[in-house]
Amino acid sequence: MALIVQKYGGTSVGSTERIKNVARRVAGWKKKGHDLVVVVSAMAGETNRLISLAKEVQAHPEPRELDVMVATGEQVTIALLSMALVELGVKARSYTGAQVKILTDNAHTRARILSIDEQRIRSDLAEGCVVVVAGFQGVDGEGNITTLGRGGSDTTGVALAAALKADECQIYTDVDGVYTTDPRIVPEARRMKKITFEEMLEMASLGSKVLQIRSVEFAGKYNVQLRVLSSFEEEGEGTLITFEDNRTMEHAVISGIAFNRDEAKITILGVPDRPGIAYQILGPIGDANVDVDMIVQNVGHDGLTDFSFTVHRNDYQNTLKILEPAVKHIQARGIVSGDKIAKVSAVGVGMRSHAGIASTMFRTLAEEGINIEMISTSEIKISVVIDEKYMELAVRALHKAFNLDQPA
Ligand code: ASP
Ligand code: MG
């Protein structure tokens, strides 16, 4: 018998029919003797509907009131799911975030969980109840309703699993797991049976379609076994997101190929090669809250060097504007930039113990005639920036070169 936290996303509870299906699934687990805490999102589209309703009244809705409002989406689904469970003869009780007492800070619309009082949940479980908890919401120290940011129900699920020391946190969604790359680009992409927290974080561009990335960080920090599963399939083991297991030797060297089209590249030419320059360039960008991703500086020659970095495409124009005075001030030669780039990454913990990954990656791209504009590496990831128009070709070629289309 295990203590399991299950989380069902918006599409999984998108209609009363689907909520009844979820109840049947939960009842099945309960029947096997497990203790269950179930976290649900609002019905599909409901959070968006509530936000646009608010915007009809106030262009930039008051954050405190917006939280009061959007938190109602989840309050509806917890009640409906509990009713559906009771209808199946399963004892169930629903709670809002504030009732549980999921205590958060007071940063409305993007609050962080500070602590969870699990007493009430524990005593309900002891009475044989399924406990149904509203995702995405909490309460601050003054009793104000807060929400955790879009997709925040995943984080509620993981946080409850951590607080209750659950055996597993199962995230039910509309896909059956995490794939070696996006199957819409590479039809041969396979579902991974297992992936580490670190890899999942490095694959944010793939993973974030499946899970709120913050929930993965949380799970890694508190050692919560996470499993992504489809709520539309009866069977299936999904993808387990867990710690690196040194006992299962011989895992694939590369686990997946991630990609991202949302970046723009900026190069400052002829930058004087002296202390403080990187700070003069990136300081104002950081002050404007723009995240810089890759940074490359060449070796200097004749006292000058080139300095390149990437930012999110949405921040591109703004970054160019911020840079203008700095570039003048340091008397650089000029800026070349473009937003028609893409980043492609090979990710895998196996990289730590295998040589030659980078050369396989570069050879593969060379054979396709794809020029690499920037390269960056971490212990478990190699990323390249290339022309956006070759992105899909690069992803396909790399997926094949690392044998990701073959059963592991
Ligand atoms: N209902 C919220 C949203 O749409 C939270 C969630 O679904 O995780 O973002
Ligand atoms: Mg979601």
Side-chain angles (χ1 to χ4, degrees):
M1 191 183 101
L3 170 54
I4 298 169
V5 174
Q6 300 187 331
K7 179 261 171 179
Y8 292 90
T11 42
S12 309
V13 294
S15 65
T16 48
E17 248 347 282
R18 287 185 175 178
I19 290 173
K20 290 179 196 170
N21 276 333
V22 168
R24 273 191 284 276
R25 188 181 286 267
V26 173
W29 282 87
K30 179 81 188 135
K31 218 176 189 162
K32 287 187 204 148
H34 301 300
D35 280 338
L36 285 147
V37 175
V38 183
V39 175
V40 283
S41 292
M43 294 169 84
E46 180 64 6
T47 307
N48 288 340
R49 188 187 71 86
L50 292 168
I51 292 172
S52 38
L53 203 58
K55 286 184 175 163
E56 283 177 28
V57 175
Q58 208 184 7
H60 301 285
E62 188 62 28
R64 182 189 182 279
E65 304 312 323
L66 189 61
D67 275 352
V68 171
M69 184 152 159
V70 294
T72 62
E74 274 72 9
Q75 192 169 335
V76 171
T77 42
I78 53 169
L80 287 172
L81 180 58
S82 297
M83 290 174 201
L85 284 164
V86 169
E87 202 49 30
L88 294 177
V90 177
K91 276 215 272 181
R93 226 170 261 157
S94 72
Y95 295 104
T96 65
Q99 284 178 308
V100 171
K101 203 147 184 188
I102 297 179
L103 186 70
T104 72
D105 61 19
N106 60 6
H108 285 290
T109 74
R110 52 187 167 84
R112 291 194 170 254
I113 297 175
L114 300 175
S115 66
I116 293 181
D117 179 357
E118 2 94 52
Q119 285 322 311
R120 204 157 175 183
I121 297 180
R122 288 228 188 262
S123 59
D124 281 355
L125 289 174
E127 281 176 34
C129 270
V130 169
V131 179
V132 183
V133 178
F136 176 55
Q137 54 179 267
V139 63
D140 73 6
E142 259 87 68
N144 300 298
I145 293 173
T146 55
T147 64
L148 309 177
R150 298 308 304 268
S153 299
D154 293 336
T155 299
T156 305
V158 172
L160 277 168
L164 293 163
K165 301 193 174 54
D167 295 287
E168 193 166 287
C169 179
Q170 303 175 340
I171 308 275
Y172 286 90
T173 176
D174 47 4
V175 294
D176 66 350
V178 183
Y179 277 67
T180 48
T181 194
D182 188 338
R184 281 169 303 185
I185 292 184
V186 185
E188 297 80 21
R190 285 176 309 101
R191 177 177 54 79
M192 292 182 241
K193 287 204 171 100
K194 224 173 179 184
I195 178 177
T196 69
F197 294 115
E198 280 175 290
E199 288 171 315
M200 187 71 185
L201 290 173
E202 291 282 22
M203 297 222 274
S205 65
L206 289 177
S208 59
K209 294 189 192 90
V210 184
L211 273 177
Q212 194 194 38
I213 284 307
R214 220 169 106 193
S215 71
V216 181
E217 284 167 9
F218 209 104
K221 193 162 155 198
Y222 293 98
N223 197 3
V224 175
Q225 294 242 49
L226 256 186
R227 192 184 290 279
V228 175
L229 300 141
S230 165
S231 64
F232 299 111
E233 281 174 14
E234 279 312 316
E235 303 281 308
E237 51 176 346
T239 298
L240 182 67
I241 307 167
T242 183
F243 273 101
E244 198 169 342
D245 186 353
N246 296 322
R247 283 163 307 176
T248 53
M249 298 296 288
E250 286 317 312
H251 41 65
V253 178
I254 295 299
S255 301
I257 308 295
F259 54 86
N260 184 352
R261 312 174 200 263
D262 303 330
E263 293 197 31
K265 182 182 121 181
I266 298 174
T267 300
I268 306 174
L269 300 167
V271 173
D273 193 8
R274 59 165 194 259
I277 287 293
Y279 176 65
Q280 282 188 48
I281 295 170
L282 295 180
I285 295 171
D287 292 344
N289 264 327
V290 172
D291 277 331
V292 174
D293 183 17
M294 263 193 223
I295 304 175
V296 174
Q297 187 194 298
N298 214 330
V299 285
H301 48 87
D302 305 328
L304 297 176
T305 185
D306 296 338
F307 189 94
S308 300
F309 59 93
T310 63
V311 294
H312 194 281
R313 216 171 265 185
N314 293 343
D315 292 322
Y316 177 53
Q317 292 302 338
N318 189 23
T319 304
L320 287 177
K321 222 175 281 154
I322 295 168
L323 273 178
E324 246 171 61
V327 165
K328 265 202 200 110
H329 182 240
I330 60 176
Q331 296 181 309
R333 196 143 47 77
I335 299 181
V336 287
S337 65
D339 62 355
K340 297 278 177 286
I341 56 151
K343 182 170 82 173
V344 177
S345 311
V347 178
V349 288
M351 221 181 262
R352 288 197 185 115
S353 49
H354 283 77
I357 306 302
S359 74
T360 302
M361 183 159 182
F362 303 152
R363 175 173 40 80
T364 305
L365 296 172
E367 280 166 5
E368 299 294 341
I370 299 171
N371 185 41
I372 301 172
E373 299 179 23
M374 284 169 93
I375 300 170
S376 85
T377 62
S378 79
E379 222 190 333
I380 64 163
K381 173 165 98 163
I382 303 173
S383 301
V384 295
V385 166
I386 58 173
D387 188 324
E388 184 186 15
K389 62 175 182 273
Y390 300 121
M391 191 196 84
E392 297 198 0
L393 175 62
V395 171
R396 257 182 247 122
L398 291 170
H399 194 267
K400 190 150 198 277
F402 289 113
N403 296 321
L404 292 174
D405 45 359
Q406 308 297 322

